[in-house]
Amino acid sequence: MKTSTWKALLSVGVTILTGVLRILRGWPVHYLIIGGYVVVMLMTLIAPEEIVGIAYDADGVTTSTVTVPLGQLLEWDWLQSSKDAALCLTDSG
C-alpha cells in the first residue's frame, strides 16, 4: 500500500479511537474540538500557502461523507454484538 493510504487509514483510526475513548471516559467534547482547532491552526502555519484553502475545503467534505458513515457502521456493529442491543435500540428515554 502507498504511504498516503496508510496515513489516511491511521487518521481515520485515530479519530474513531478518540471518539470511543471520549464516550467511555466521559471527556467533554468541547475540549477535543478546541484541541483539534489548535492543531489545525498550527499546521496551517507550516503548510504551503497554495494548499491551505483546499485543505480546509476538503476537510468539510470528507467529514460528512467518509468519517461519519464509517463511525456509524462501527457503532451499529457494536450494538448488534452488545448484550444490551435490544435495550439500546428500543429505549426511547
Side-chain angles (χ1 to χ4, degrees):
M1 263 195 264
K2 293 182 180 179
T3 304
S4 60
T5 303
W6 282 107
K7 288 177 184 177
L9 291 172
L10 182 64
S11 297
V12 171
V14 168
T15 303
I16 291 174
L17 177 65
T18 303
V20 170
L21 287 173
R22 184 192 78 77
I23 293 168
L24 293 177
R25 301 207 180 239
W27 296 342
V29 71
H30 61 277
Y31 289 164
L32 297 174
I33 292 172
I34 292 169
Y37 276 116
V38 168
V39 170
V40 167
M41 286 183 217
L42 291 174
M43 290 177 68
T44 301
L45 295 173
I46 62 172
E49 189 175 327
E50 300 84 29
I51 68 163
V52 171
I54 295 170
Y56 277 94
D57 287 343
D59 175 57
V61 171
T62 59
T63 299
S64 63
T65 59
V66 176
T67 308
V68 173
L70 183 60
Q72 288 175 339
L73 177 65
L74 291 172
E75 179 184 341
W76 179 254
D77 186 45
W78 176 79
L79 283 174
Q80 292 295 320
S81 65
S82 174
K83 293 178 190 175
D84 299 324
L87 178 64
C88 292
L89 294 172
T90 59
D91 185 20
S92 62

